[in-house]
Amino acid sequence: MIKKRVAVLISGRGSNLGALIDACAAPDFPAEIALVISNKPDAAGVAVAREAGVSTVVIPHGDYASREAFDAAIEAALEAARIDIVCEAGFMRIHSEAFVRRWEGRMLNIHPSLLPAFKGIRVHQQALDAGVKISGCTVHFIVAELDSGPIVAQAAVPVLPGDTTETLAARILIEEHRIYPEALRLLAEGRVRLESGKAVFA
Ligand code: GRF
């Protein structure tokens, strides 16, 4: 099997990165993590990648004068590693439109809510404030508009009385670690594709 070469973009803890690395370790998984890119040198996820022996590049966004210049550095790293698919996992930068267009249909993100509800940041607080009884997580194709791309996979969890952002986040994170590898498998096997702005499942 020729495995798809995946880059994971991170800014923080890297637990979804860890879940993707674990899934890719299975011989029959259709993708391998070939590169991790962090915009933060001290992100815990950088250590997760290094411990797993995955090549890691730190590209601090502050070193670049513009979004375009930062994305060009990312693009160069992706090209050098011959990347097929990009998975964002807690990557806290917004891309230029040109970058998103170039990777359209080949770039996924995970978001800790049932999109289209609760886009952006402080997502768990938004869910608690809204008083929803169910929340969850979403893997979606990345498009120019933030947290708005076609949905590849979702999982729901209950919001329980007395939940804090921490307890809700922890319950959702378990599902994130389950559905992100599933979504990557679908994309790597060509069982989902982006067509005319919609996710099409084979
Ligand atoms: C996750 O909750 C993910 O959904 C969101 O950022 C968080 C990243 O966590 N986009 P981790 O770095 O994967 O542990």
Side-chain angles (χ1 to χ4, degrees):
M1 184 201 338
I2 297 174
K3 295 189 178 221
K4 296 285 185 196
R5 294 174 63 78
V6 175
V8 184
L9 272 54
I10 61 163
S11 298
R13 181 177 54 184
S15 72
N16 278 289
L17 165 64
L20 292 171
I21 289 173
D22 288 349
C24 287
D28 67 341
F29 199 84
E32 61 182 309
I33 308 301
L35 180 66
V36 170
I37 298 177
S38 174
N39 65 315
K40 299 240 171 121
D42 53 354
V46 171
V48 172
R50 289 195 175 133
E51 270 158 37
V54 178
S55 62
T56 306
V57 180
V58 174
I59 304 178
H61 58 274
D63 289 359
Y64 298 87
S66 67
R67 209 183 278 296
E68 286 71 20
F70 174 59
D71 281 346
I74 293 177
E75 184 67 43
L78 297 176
E79 264 175 38
R82 293 173 288 109
I83 295 303
D84 301 304
I85 293 172
V86 173
C87 288
E88 303 210 338
F91 184 66
M92 299 303 284
R93 306 301 299 173
I94 294 172
H95 293 294
S96 58
E97 267 192 54
F99 183 90
V100 172
R101 218 172 303 120
R102 201 164 324 113
W103 286 92
E104 211 168 67
R106 299 182 294 151
M107 184 157 64
L108 299 175
N109 181 44
I110 185 146
H111 184 80
S113 75
L114 290 175
L115 290 172
F118 314 132
K119 298 175 180 179
I121 57 169
R122 288 189 285 278
V123 180
H124 305 299
Q125 190 61 56
Q126 290 187 53
L128 292 177
D129 289 348
V132 293
K133 301 299 178 201
I134 294 171
S135 192
C137 50
T138 304
V139 178
H140 62 92
F141 283 110
I142 294 180
V143 298
E145 199 186 331
L146 187 69
D147 298 331
S148 297
I151 292 167
V152 176
Q154 282 187 315
V157 305
V159 181
L160 300 176
D163 258 345
T164 62
T165 54
E166 287 78 19
T167 57
L168 179 57
R171 194 174 307 121
I172 291 174
L173 196 63
I174 293 168
E175 297 303 311
E176 293 186 35
H177 296 166
R178 189 175 62 77
I179 69 167
Y180 211 172
E182 282 180 10
L184 175 57
R185 176 186 280 279
L186 288 178
L187 181 59
E189 290 180 345
R191 287 157 61 205
V192 64
R193 61 185 194 282
L194 187 61
E195 216 175 85
S196 309
K198 293 223 157 36
V200 178
F201 294 84

